Amino acid sequence: MSEIEVVEIARGPVRAQFLTLGATLRRLEVPDRQGRIDNVVLGYADLDDYRRQPPRYYGAVAGRYANRIAGGRFTLDGETFQLTTNEGGNSLHSGPDGFDQQVWAVEARSTHAVTFRLDSPHGWNGFPGDLVVRVEYALEEDGLAVRFTATPDRATIINLTQHAYFNLAGEGSDTTILDHVLQLPASAITPVNGALIPTGALAPVDGTPFDFRSPKPIGRDIDAENAQLALGQGYDHNFVLDGPAGFERRIATLFDPGSGRVLDLHSTEPGVQVYSGNYLADGAPGTSGGTYPKRGGLCLEPQKFPDSPNQPSFPSARLEAGESYRHNMAFRFRTAADVAEAFPL
């Protein structure tokens, strides 16, 4: 079993720590409104816990296909591919031993950037094509840029994202994210069935607990009587972002009133999976040694829609031989005195 290497980069007051296992973001230290530095992403204290099952994907690169594929099966050019399944007969984050469990090579590094590379062979967990994948993490003046690229030698599907869990009050704060205020420019979600697989429909958020178009605390409606919330035991849904994709733009803003930290999430993708950490309780000790409570972290995962290979009306995840896949995203930070400053008109 390959040893896990730790890589650190820094720029000004911001520091980030990564693991070669899963090209994982283990720590991200940013200042609050008083200038105090805290780590704002969840992780494990013991590196060996990143290998134990069931995985929580703390800070990992999820792939080859992030999120769920129904039955772990899809058809491409008339050929059906059966993936290794790991969640009730479905594929979640590409099945067991996904990209989160692979040891990536450090291809390049500097004081404020690192690039990881993974060569994924044809047939790995059932996916077609040899695939060369890179993720570059670069600290910029206002946060961390994440740039994914991938190239296959035959037609395949791909959907990569960063699976960080954020708590802007601080990883060791022992608080939930229910008081964090979230805003999403998304007028619809892709509703799911009992297996959390999209039905293929788009459901307007208007008048539902899923309406974050105006900023509101995550905890305001999370326990409302709603069939979709009941299925996920909270938020675990893909939000359909308004407007065209394909260029980097702000897709979410998260604010912690206590610390004053604001996260502006940017991405080129058409959707963002919002997961409110509904099953975080009773896990292994976190990075600072404490255990996380239920809903102790929030995932904002920009990506293609779940089960896109089986949903012709969804944005395509197909990638041709020799074609370059690109997904640019960024975690950009600032501070604010209050909600009005965090979410200016």
Side-chain angles (χ1 to χ4, degrees):
M1 184 177 292
S2 300
E3 185 176 350
I4 302 172
E5 182 183 350
V6 178
V7 179
E8 295 187 352
I9 60 176
R11 183 168 182 170
V14 181
R15 303 182 65 86
Q17 184 185 88
F18 304 92
L19 306 177
T20 51
L21 182 71
T24 293
L25 172 62
R26 185 175 185 237
R27 298 180 64 92
L28 183 57
E29 300 174 7
V30 298
D32 67 5
R33 68 162 68 93
Q34 305 300 329
R36 190 179 74 173
I37 305 296
D38 276 310
N39 171 32
V40 296
V41 296
L42 308 190
Y44 290 118
D46 186 342
L47 297 188
D48 287 336
D49 282 326
Y50 285 91
R51 285 192 163 115
R52 295 192 175 110
Q53 301 297 318
R56 294 193 174 184
Y57 308 98
Y58 286 141
V61 172
R64 284 187 187 191
Y65 197 95
N67 218 309
R68 296 173 173 89
I69 295 179
R73 186 182 302 110
F74 66 94
T75 299
L76 202 62
D77 296 333
E79 183 177 357
T80 298
F81 295 90
Q82 178 62 59
L83 308 178
T84 308
T85 58
N86 62 334
E87 188 192 56
N90 299 315
S91 169
L92 173 63
H93 300 318
S94 300
D97 298 322
F99 280 7
D100 62 295
Q101 293 297 304
Q102 304 301 307
V103 175
W104 297 56
V106 178
E107 189 172 63
R109 64 188 298 181
S110 65
T111 57
H112 60 270
V114 59
T115 300
F116 295 98
R117 172 175 170 156
L118 181 65
D119 290 53
S120 180
H122 172 72
W124 170 84
N125 270 8
F127 286 91
D130 292 330
L131 188 71
V132 178
V133 187
R134 291 178 175 87
V135 56
E136 179 194 17
Y137 294 104
L139 286 175
E140 299 180 342
E141 289 185 0
D142 58 353
L144 181 67
V146 185
R147 303 180 182 99
F148 298 103
T149 59
T151 305
D153 68 348
R154 59 173 286 178
T156 190
I157 61 170
I158 188 166
N159 182 34
L160 303 178
T161 195
Q162 225 299 325
H163 204 290
Y165 289 74
F166 284 94
N167 187 319
L168 299 183
E171 178 272 336
S173 64
D174 195 31
T175 61
T176 73
I177 44 77
L178 296 180
D179 290 333
H180 283 38
V181 181
L182 178 64
Q183 192 270 332
L184 296 168
S187 299
I189 63 167
T190 51
V192 295
N193 61 22
L196 301 184
I197 297 294
T199 64
L202 302 184
V205 301
D206 190 40
T208 78
F210 294 87
D211 193 350
F212 285 94
R213 291 173 296 178
S214 295
K216 72 173 181 181
I218 293 167
R220 177 179 295 173
D221 299 321
I222 198 169
D223 292 320
E225 290 189 14
N226 177 277
Q228 286 294 305
L229 287 176
L231 289 172
Q233 297 299 303
Y235 297 109
D236 190 6
H237 294 77
N238 171 62
F239 284 70
V240 179
L241 296 166
D242 295 340
F247 64 97
E248 190 174 326
R249 78 281 192 214
R250 185 192 67 84
I251 65 165
T253 294
L254 184 68
F255 172 54
D256 170 44
S259 68
R261 292 187 183 94
V262 182
L263 166 62
D264 291 313
L265 176 63
H266 292 241
S267 172
T268 53
E269 293 299 86
V272 59
Q273 184 82 9
V274 177
Y275 173 55
S276 50
N278 310 310
Y279 297 97
L280 284 181
D282 302 320
T287 314
S288 60
T291 55
Y292 302 131
K294 176 182 178 179
R295 297 170 178 163
L298 180 74
C299 293
L300 296 168
E301 309 160 54
Q303 56 189 267
K304 301 289 191 295
F305 299 174
D307 201 35
S308 285
N310 296 310
Q311 303 284 355
S313 64
F314 286 0
S316 176
R318 180 185 177 113
L319 187 65
E320 303 293 345
E323 187 179 9
S324 291
Y325 164 92
R326 296 184 185 279
H327 174 196
N328 293 340
M329 58 181 291
F331 304 122
R332 304 197 183 281
F333 294 92
R334 53 191 171 91
T335 60
D338 51 30
V339 169
E341 187 175 343
F343 301 94
L345 296 177

